[in-house]
Amino acid sequence: MAHSGEFGLINKLTSSLIKSKYVIVGVGDDCAVIKSSGSRYILATVDAQVMGVHFLPGTPPERIGRKAAAVSISDIAAMGGTPKHCLVSLFLPKNISDAYVEDVYRGITRECKTYSVGIVGGNITRAPQFAIDIALLGEASPKNILLRSGAEAGDKVLVTGSLGNAAAGLRLLQAPRAAISGAIRDFLVAKQTSPTPRISESAAIACARKATSMIDISDGLAQDMLHIAEQSKVGVILHEKRFPISRELKVFCKSMRKNPSVFALAGGEDYELLFTVPPERADSLASRIKRKTGTEVTEIGEITKKEKGNWLILNNGRKMRLKPSGWDHLKI
Amino acid sequence: MAHSGEFGLINKLTSSLIKSKYVIVGVGDDCAVIKSSGSRYILATVDAQVMGVHFLPGTPPERIGRKAAAVSISDIAAMGGTPKHCLVSLFLPKNISDAYVEDVYRGITRECKTYSVGIVGGNITRAPQFAIDIALLGEASPKNILLRSGAEAGDKVLVTGSLGNAAAGLRLLQAPRAAISGAIRDFLVAKQTSPTPRISESAAIACARKATSMIDISDGLAQDMLHIAEQSKVGVILHEKRFPISRELKVFCKSMRKNPSVFALAGGEDYELLFTVPPERADSLASRIKRKTGTEVTEIGEITKKEKGNWLILNNGRKMRLKPSGWDHLKI
């Protein structure tokens, strides 16, 4: 694509970008040129947000931008890395205004700035639907990298923060007349539209070198736990009664006659960190994270041998197979 | 997005990928993990191809994939670098078949293999229109990198291959009944649907360390020449009579009563390399490229001081301002 407006818009969007000392060439040439810091490994990830799929048309554009950056930054957090540079690919329908795109881009820029990420390049193309695709580069010391594949039988399963809030927020956006009061609604909707990538928590976990595997919860606890189980070739037991559920989600669920565990298991988009730790180190790591970041960490289960399978122990003591989806029928 | 089909499709697409020794973790975790090769700089670029914008619905899916990879690889060529690793982001409408997506992905994989590029990650999302966004990482020795900003007054302007073929190919795809015979049509359409990134030519240019600036021609000679002029803060004179026009484009233009220069100036998507060289080194560099790669190189103009402006000397001896677009009225 090359229309006369493209380069003008690129100039408007990128004029205030700041280049770090590791960026030799930023936006404006055929490629960005980056100096790598030698002994560290490069992390690379890409994530897209599409209008109508990942966000509703009425979402404030700056929030759309912030979230698009946040979900990629969360992928770097999930590996124990430091996010560094990103490329922003924009898909713009004909009727979109420059002002709207500038607001989205400001959101991306601000979220990136919060985590010291520089925008080093990108692309603009026409498309029927507005979308943002962000490719993010990060770095990590080889010994600090946490994969999905390192969990071992006996490890404890830990999770940061609380689960299910983002999915409840999405329900509220879809049903704006639900009888949920201001503060509760604001909290849950903010968890949906403005997720916080757990970069400091990730750094605390990675630097301690005690965890054996890690993932960020984007698809829901059940699905993402099964990613770790599958890639680590282990089984898992989760305990419903230990799920960290916020006061706000409890109020929401009571009012809506829903089971908070369903939101935790299948909701997705919480962007909390799910990780495994040898049992004798679990408590000290959880305390360390709380001390360093203020974020609560909860032990919600344990890793078993693969042949034991994947299980959820319900509040009533019954066992259910842990499956990626289909939790809607779980009784309150 | 997380539907049950997503992970199955990802497995199908990525099961045969090969990992280079610099890739510690490829597809399947939150990020790819790459070992950088120390003293070289990292190049990073992203480019999108959208159904209906960059390719027509009837285009064979494997060609769509090849071209999506080729245009990003061409951006690395434009800097004098070596392409290394890519992340493939797919936007899939509901009605698209797995078989179609697999064909596209096979095209991406094959094009990448041709240039020793490994696919290290990606993303799949629902979207109303099919699109591919490829983020590509490459490497270059710091001294070999060629920016758009290094041209100096007195330099000669050189270009690889011939210009305007891809745009003529697009016209033929849009007007399939045009009275252009088989071989000519096939040549021009192939230039449109199957561009060749000039990686070996780029290596020959970069290693010689004689060129002062470079860009790949994606938007047309006029627009891309002006990118170099603007970023190098220089003026330029191009000579229409020296434009390298293929025999096939000449036949096409004669039959269609068009001026081949319009296709060269404004057509775009040729992905040839446009570069500048100090005058005393231009001939030897052109010969070297021809000797090493078999590709013709043509001197089409010279760089001047900025205050002289940007000009095109027409075949009839008249001067016209070189402008980014609006060449359609240029007489045959």
Side-chain angles (χ1 to χ4, degrees), chain B residues 77 115 197-206 273 289 292-293 295:
Chain B
Y115 297 95
R198 294 299 201 179
I199 284 291
S200 1
E201 293 77 2
S202 163
I205 297 165
L273 295 174
I289 298 163
K292 295 214 167 222
T293 68
T295 300

Side-chain angles (χ1 to χ4, degrees), chain A residues 70 74 111 115 190-191 194-199 201 270-272:
Chain A
S74 181
E111 189 73 9
Y115 297 95
K191 288 288 183 180
S194 309
T196 304
R198 294 298 201 180
I199 284 292
E201 293 77 2
D270 285 318
Y271 299 105
E272 296 294 350

Side-chain angles (χ1 to χ4, degrees), chain A residues 7 28-34 36 41-45 54 75 78 89 125 128-129 133 147-148 216 219 223 231, chain B residues 2 7 28-34 36 41-45 54 75 78 89 125 128-129 133 147-148 216 219 223 231:
Chain A
F7 301 110
D29 215 304
D30 297 290
C31 298
V33 182
I34 301 160
S36 77
Y41 283 170
I42 300 162
L43 306 178
T45 182
H54 300 88
D75 274 328
S89 203
T125 182
Q129 189 87 323
D133 199 26
L147 306 182
R148 297 176 177 183
D216 65 326
D219 294 334
Q223 175 78 75
Q231 294 192 34
Chain B
F7 302 111
D29 215 304
D30 297 291
C31 298
V33 182
I34 302 161
S36 78
Y41 283 170
I42 300 162
L43 306 178
T45 181
H54 301 89
D75 274 328
S89 203
T125 181
Q129 189 89 321
D133 199 28
L147 305 183
R148 297 177 177 183
D216 65 327
D219 294 333
Q223 174 77 74
Q231 293 193 35

